[in-house]
Amino acid sequence: MTRRPGLDRVRTTVVVIAAAIVIVAFGVLQYRWNRDASDATGVRLADSLQLSMINWHLDLLNNLSEIGVMLRAGTNAPAGAATESLAQRFGEWRAIARYPELVSQVYAVWPRREGRSEAHRLNPDTSTFEPVTWPAALGTLDAELLALPLEPADPLADAASGREAAEHFYSLGSVLRGWRFDPTIPALVRPASARASDISDRGTRWLVVVLDADVLEHRLLPDLAHRYFQGADGLDYEVAVVGGTPRRVIYTSDPGFGAESVDGADGRLDIFGRPIQRDRQSALRILQPTSDRLRPTATADINWFPLIRNSPTDHDWQLVLRHRRDGSLNAFVGNIRTRGLIVSYSALALLVVAVSMLIVTSVRAQRLARLQMNFVTAVSHELRTPLTIIGSAADNIAAGVVDTREQLREYGTVIGNEVGQLSGLVERILQFAAMRDGRQRYSMRALDVGDVIDAVLASTGGLIRAGQFTVERDIAPNLPAVTADDVAIAQCLENLVTNALKYGKQERWLGIRARAIVDDSGRTDVQISVADRGIGIEPGDLTHIFEPFYRSASVRAAQIHGTGIGLALARQIADAMGGSIDVASVPGRGSTFTLHLFTDPVPQA
Ligand code: ADP
């Protein structure tokens, strides 16, 4: 079966294109999968952040609600009777509370439209409210409380029950209803008496529970931050609680964070929310823009905090969070994506390199197999001609066709020549094999270039004469001796000369020149060139002719015999002598091969 190089090439091209398509498709898929995976990670992180924010919020609510529950006294009780039990319950709360110092003072206050507002401070030791001058910590709370509209929270229910507006507002079922949060003091505030008569007689009496800013900042809020935003390596997020008038940082996990308004925060939560809106069905509403691929953020808009129904939102406290690594959750997710892409594209690049190497190796192997096949065919041809001649000479002698001694001598000469050809061929092949294996040994010594050239012309004299070639020998006088192995150099030049004879039949001219040139590095380069005026070499073949087994398509088409190892052998010898060999050729005009040898060679291994 003959192998068709064209078909091989087409097959290789198809494989290369298919591999390229598969790799590009992989690249695109990798990108998409990576993007989807990192988007999903972003959404998952935002989800979990949102959940943590909600739990954080619930925990804060628990801590504040405890106070509200314990101080529930007075809702419907007569004003005076409540005081003792309130003080007692405050003591009980302090005994069980996780943060008993969270409440710094409890006041009962009567804001007055005219005259001084009154304030009484709870003395836990005596369980009494003692009159005090209006505390600076309470600021303008009296004026704010007086300005509060005493509207019913739910006019429909109010209308249905027929209650009075003010009474309804303070005495609805839940004991927590009616507490409001003052973000500036900060304090929990609620009417101490819900009876309409109290309101009309003396104005409304209010209970004010002042929270300790220090406990909030250094204990409660840090504990909550660590409980809900703790990662394997400290807090996952920078956490701040900001608010009040003027806006200030109530707590921050990282000094500086929260001081300015935080652009691109990953999570935001209005802690005490806004008044319940009548058109809103659910008390809990969570917003998460999951469709926005570029910005995973968590926003919880929660209205379950019963303390602050009527709190204004503009100085509400707000929880602000920003991812600690990479500056934002978005950048963190972006970096996850980039890292994923780097890893997967590196793997893909490795794959590309591996596939390319595989293709290159397989193309080379195919080419080598083809060349070796050609070599076997060529060697067989080279063997056939001498064998045929020797065979027919033997037949003639055996058949008694050869009568005279003279004829016998001629036959002997012919057979001897052909055997010489055969031995030369076998010798070349063995030498080639030995050189490839690195088994060849050389004895380097100083050689006279003219002597070597003459020896080569003598050994190829038979062929030159048979081919009727004109030889032009031009050896520069006083050439320096080169250091080389004489047998190897002769072999190398013989190959060049026999090629010139084989491929230079058009003009039948052989030029052999030798000259010395001092190169840029100061070394003396002795150049021996072998030229012919024959078929020449196509530029596309020039880069290949020194490869083992390579024969140009034109010489094969012209059926010029050869094995394709002559030039490979010549180059290996030149290299081993520390020199080199090069070629210049014009197709149809001829070729010149030049062997460069040095007086002080650096032999190659
Ligand atoms: P061979 O001559 O046995 O084919 P070589 O290794 O000596 O093998 O040469 C390799 C190829 O280089 C040749 O097949 C031929 O195509 C080209 N070549 C070598 N010498 C010449 C030359 N003097 N003129 C034209 N082509 C040449």
Side-chain angles (χ1 to χ4, degrees):
M1 199 184 80
T2 49
R3 292 179 65 89
R4 308 239 305 273
L7 204 67
D8 280 350
R9 213 164 296 142
V10 170
R11 214 176 288 157
T12 309
T13 313
V14 169
V15 169
V16 169
I17 291 173
I21 290 173
V22 169
I23 283 168
V24 169
F26 261 137
V28 173
L29 282 180
Q30 289 272 21
Y31 181 81
R32 290 218 179 133
W33 289 338
N34 206 285
R35 188 192 57 195
D36 291 349
S38 58
D39 283 351
T41 308
V43 170
R44 196 165 43 72
L45 286 173
D47 272 347
S48 110
L49 172 61
Q50 195 178 49
L51 199 66
S52 301
M53 283 162 65
I54 291 169
N55 285 330
W56 179 94
H57 196 228
L58 274 173
D59 206 334
L60 179 67
L61 169 68
N62 279 342
N63 280 287
L64 297 184
S65 298
E66 271 177 10
I67 305 170
V69 171
M70 291 307 279
L71 300 184
R72 70 191 179 279
T75 306
N76 286 315
T83 311
E84 209 167 300
S85 74
L86 187 137
Q88 183 193 342
R89 269 196 289 273
F90 181 59
E92 284 168 11
W93 170 78
R94 290 242 285 212
I96 58 157
R98 199 187 302 169
Y99 304 98
E101 296 84 19
L102 183 58
V103 173
S104 63
Q105 300 293 349
V106 178
Y107 293 102
V109 299
W110 283 268
R112 298 263 192 266
R113 262 181 227 292
E114 288 127 23
R116 288 248 208 93
S117 299
E118 284 179 44
H120 289 206
R121 184 171 54 206
L122 176 68
N123 182 341
D125 301 331
T126 58
S127 297
T128 52
F129 279 93
E130 295 163 353
V132 288
T133 50
W134 185 257
L138 300 190
T140 55
L141 180 68
D142 49 348
E144 282 163 30
L145 291 177
L146 283 170
L148 274 182
L150 299 182
E151 280 176 9
D154 185 342
L156 293 178
D158 188 54
S161 68
R163 289 173 195 251
E164 271 181 44
E167 182 168 331
H168 171 85
F169 178 66
Y170 299 118
S171 61
L172 281 178
S174 164
V175 289
L176 291 175
R177 274 211 172 159
W179 282 107
R180 48 178 285 120
F181 180 74
D182 187 302
T184 305
I185 299 175
L188 301 173
V189 183
R190 66 162 294 163
S193 167
R195 293 188 309 175
S197 54
D198 277 355
I199 296 168
S200 54
D201 292 354
R202 303 182 57 198
T204 309
R205 185 163 67 106
W206 297 82
L207 209 55
V208 180
V209 179
V210 179
L211 301 179
D212 188 311
D214 216 45
V215 175
L216 273 170
E217 183 183 349
H218 294 116
R219 293 186 51 203
L220 175 58
L221 293 174
D223 283 0
L224 290 181
H226 283 283
R227 207 166 299 148
Y228 297 103
F229 304 112
Q230 180 76 22
D233 215 6
L235 289 177
D236 277 344
Y237 291 87
E238 292 172 297
V239 185
V241 173
V242 296
T245 315
R247 182 182 183 281
R248 66 182 200 280
V249 178
I250 287 99
Y251 157 75
T252 182
S253 61
D254 296 74
F257 179 67
E260 303 292 319
S261 82
V262 182
D263 293 332
D266 294 314
R268 262 179 217 284
L269 171 77
D270 287 340
I271 296 174
F272 296 105
R274 48 186 68 85
I276 283 184
Q277 286 163 17
R278 292 184 183 112
D279 57 351
R280 196 176 277 178
Q281 296 296 310
S282 164
L284 170 65
R285 191 161 69 95
I286 296 172
L287 310 171
Q288 190 185 354
T290 47
S291 60
D292 180 358
R293 284 201 139 148
L294 293 173
R295 275 212 56 76
T297 50
T299 311
D301 178 9
I302 302 170
N303 258 307
W304 61 39
F305 223 117
L307 290 170
I308 30 56
R309 292 268 157 96
N310 302 290
S311 176
T313 49
D314 50 348
H315 26 101
D316 184 14
W317 284 8
Q318 201 178 44
L319 170 70
V320 191
L321 296 145
R322 188 168 65 190
H323 201 271
R324 187 174 290 280
R325 296 234 333 245
D326 310 319
S328 78
L329 195 58
N330 194 32
F332 179 61
V333 171
N335 283 348
I336 291 179
R337 175 181 305 176
T338 311
R339 279 197 295 270
L341 276 179
I342 289 174
V343 169
S344 52
Y345 278 151
S346 304
L348 209 60
L350 274 181
L351 194 72
V352 170
V353 171
V355 169
S356 312
M357 282 174 68
L358 208 67
I359 290 173
V360 169
T361 312
S362 113
V363 166
R364 278 203 189 140
Q366 278 177 15
R367 190 157 164 274
L368 191 65
R370 206 166 52 236
L371 290 176
Q372 283 174 336
M373 204 60 216
N374 291 344
F375 170 73
V376 171
T377 315
V379 169
S380 310
H381 276 298
E382 295 279 295
L383 291 174
R384 196 161 59 186
T385 317
L387 284 177
T388 312
I389 295 170
I390 293 168
S392 50
D395 287 346
N396 287 352
I397 294 169
V401 178
V402 182
D403 299 329
T404 61
R405 277 183 154 274
E406 185 59 28
Q407 278 180 317
L408 202 59
R409 204 177 299 120
E410 279 174 18
Y411 270 81
T413 311
V414 169
I415 292 172
N417 282 343
E418 296 306 322
V419 168
Q421 289 263 339
L422 286 178
S423 322
L425 176 64
V426 171
E427 193 53 42
R428 267 206 309 282
I429 294 172
L430 288 178
Q431 199 184 350
F432 174 73
M435 288 198 85
R436 301 267 309 176
D437 293 353
R439 281 184 278 121
Q440 193 72 26
R441 293 282 167 265
Y442 301 102
S443 58
M444 307 286 276
R445 59 191 181 84
L447 297 181
D448 181 277
V449 174
D451 290 351
V452 179
I453 290 174
D454 288 338
V456 170
L457 287 176
S459 67
T460 53
L463 287 173
I464 293 171
R465 278 188 299 281
Q468 299 176 343
F469 270 73
T470 311
V471 177
E472 210 175 293
R473 178 182 175 283
D474 174 13
I475 297 170
N478 304 324
L479 278 181
V482 294
T483 309
D485 179 305
D486 56 345
V487 179
I489 290 296
Q491 168 83 65
C492 173
L493 289 174
E494 261 172 40
N495 287 350
L496 298 181
V497 169
T498 49
N499 277 354
L501 299 175
K502 245 190 326 188
Y503 303 112
K505 291 207 169 113
Q506 278 145 322
E507 300 254 334
R508 297 183 183 275
W509 176 88
L510 170 74
I512 191 153
R513 296 176 77 192
R515 60 181 55 212
I517 287 174
V518 178
D519 68 12
D520 296 344
S521 58
R523 296 177 76 200
T524 307
D525 172 11
V526 179
Q527 302 178 349
I528 307 167
S529 59
V530 178
D532 65 69
R533 294 175 183 159
I535 57 173
I537 303 164
E538 295 291 333
D541 289 321
L542 278 178
T543 47
H544 298 296
I545 54 175
F546 291 99
E547 293 170 13
F549 314 126
Y550 186 87
R551 305 200 72 224
S552 68
S554 56
V555 305
R556 277 188 288 133
Q559 299 203 327
I560 304 174
H561 290 179
T563 53
I565 58 172
L567 286 184
L569 205 58
R571 173 162 276 181
Q572 278 180 358
I573 291 171
D575 289 346
M577 300 297 119
S580 64
I581 192 165
D582 56 39
V583 59
S585 182
V586 179
R589 300 279 295 278
S591 316
T592 303
F593 287 84
T594 306
L595 172 66
H596 301 261
L597 294 172
F598 294 93
T599 48
D600 50 346
V602 186
Q604 295 187 356

